[in-house]
Amino acid sequence: MLNDELLRQSRIESVALSLREDIGDGDITARLIAPEARATGRVITREAAVIAGRRWVEEVFRQVDDTVVLHWQVQDGQTVVPDQVLFTFEGPARSLLTAERTALNWLQTLSGVATACASYARQVAHTKVRLLDTRKTLPGLRMAEKYAVTCGGCYNHRIGLWDAFLIKENHIAACGSIGAAVAEARRIGPGRPVEVETENLDELDQALSAGADIIMLDEFSLADMTTAVAQTAGRAKLEASGNINEQTLVPVAETGVDYISIGALTKHLRATDLSMRLN
């Protein structure tokens, strides 16, 4: 699961990388400005959005110049409207301009994820389902994107390959059966969640008999999902997955499954349109 220390370490490392790729051995254009020059300004959103990424913005300015002062007017998870001021800033003009693009890249990217998640979450608010992200994240941005998912009202699946078992078709084939795979998972990782991907109701029965904690219903029909919910009757959590989009989301949620995992929450990203303006 995400925790503050994991996020902090990831944030420091990923921001440092993003600054290196932009600044290289120095911002030559910023040197046109007198080193003693100071400036103030603001960042606005050009469109409605759900904000995420404040700490990444703060980390960008901290690494560039920790004398820059930010005054936030919004919180992560807050819905904003076009032309709303997100934060104001003051500090050395050179530093502000050097940090500008990297800071906005983080904020527009994570706000884009949060905004998409909020849209999906609103559609199923009348059900008990929880919408989950996946490992289909932009390389190097997983922790940040998963944080943004929670700002938009959705939830995190496993973080990576290390924190929970997800036994898929090839794992089952290699182990010999669903039962054998689950038993081995219990042996080598006691206490860790064990999820099994199933493709039909017969495999669902096998996963239930094996004692899986969560059972993924991969591309089940709506009728089979409804049958699976009745058949499971609380013996395990059920997760629907596979080509679920905004058109199919609500009918799937209304079958009564516990979770729906959606890769589009993080991989079909459209950044929020932001603008930084110096006074």
Side-chain angles (χ1 to χ4, degrees):
M1 296 294 291
L2 283 178
N3 59 60
D4 288 344
E5 181 57 24
L6 188 65
L7 277 174
R8 187 188 70 84
Q9 293 177 1
S10 170
R11 185 166 54 247
I12 292 171
E13 293 170 2
S14 56
V15 165
L17 177 60
S18 64
L19 286 169
R20 283 199 302 272
E21 68 184 6
D22 197 33
I23 299 172
D25 60 1
D27 179 355
I28 58 174
T29 312
R31 285 189 288 191
L32 301 173
I33 303 166
E36 68 276 9
R38 296 184 63 82
T40 62
R42 64 198 186 280
V43 168
I44 67 167
T45 176
R46 295 182 181 275
E47 60 182 326
V50 175
I51 295 302
R54 274 185 45 160
R55 291 183 179 177
W56 281 262
V57 172
E58 292 164 358
E59 184 62 26
V60 169
F61 283 104
R62 186 191 70 80
Q63 291 191 25
V64 170
D65 185 341
D66 62 7
T67 69
V68 170
V69 178
L70 307 181
H71 302 283
W72 287 94
Q73 299 185 23
V74 297
Q75 301 293 326
D76 279 355
Q78 181 176 335
T79 300
V80 296
V81 297
D83 298 321
Q84 185 169 340
V85 176
L86 306 183
F87 65 92
T88 60
F89 51 82
E90 54 187 287
R94 282 187 175 185
S95 300
L96 294 172
L97 292 171
T98 295
E100 172 186 4
R101 176 40 51 201
T102 302
L104 292 187
N105 282 351
W106 281 107
L107 192 59
Q108 71 186 22
T109 298
L110 300 190
S111 295
V113 172
T115 301
C117 288
S119 174
Y120 277 94
R122 280 193 298 270
Q123 295 180 60
V124 296
H126 63 292
T127 73
K128 68 180 181 66
V129 77
R130 287 190 171 193
L131 303 185
L132 305 178
D133 56 23
T134 70
R135 288 169 47 238
K136 296 174 182 177
T137 53
L138 299 179
L141 298 189
R142 178 166 300 170
M143 300 303 176
E145 282 197 285
K146 282 184 173 283
Y147 167 79
V149 164
T150 66
C151 292
C154 296
Y155 297 84
N156 298 143
H157 204 287
R158 59 179 179 163
I159 304 305
L161 296 174
W162 49 270
D163 60 326
F165 291 97
L166 178 46
I167 300 169
K168 298 189 175 186
E169 178 183 8
N170 288 333
H171 301 106
I172 295 166
C175 290
S177 69
I178 288 175
V182 172
E184 182 65 6
R186 298 294 188 201
R187 186 186 72 80
I188 66 174
R192 293 182 184 262
V194 177
E195 180 170 1
V196 176
E197 179 184 72
T198 62
E199 297 181 350
N200 53 58
L201 292 172
D202 178 61
E203 290 182 352
L204 170 68
D205 277 337
Q206 295 177 49
L208 286 170
S209 297
D213 300 306
I214 307 169
I215 300 173
M216 180 185 291
L217 311 177
D218 185 36
E219 298 191 10
F220 274 43
S221 68
L222 290 175
D224 281 352
M225 283 186 201
T226 302
T227 300
V229 170
Q231 191 170 316
T232 301
R235 294 156 62 193
K237 297 291 187 181
L238 295 180
E239 174 189 332
S241 183
N243 296 319
I244 295 170
N245 54 44
E246 293 199 55
Q247 286 69 50
T248 60
L249 176 63
V250 172
V252 170
E254 290 176 345
T255 65
V257 293
D258 301 284
Y259 308 115
I260 300 175
S261 54
I262 306 173
L265 297 183
T266 51
K267 71 172 183 170
H268 295 168
L269 176 62
R270 188 187 73 79
T272 300
D273 190 6
L274 307 176
S275 178
M276 176 171 158
R277 299 176 180 176
L278 286 185
N279 296 329

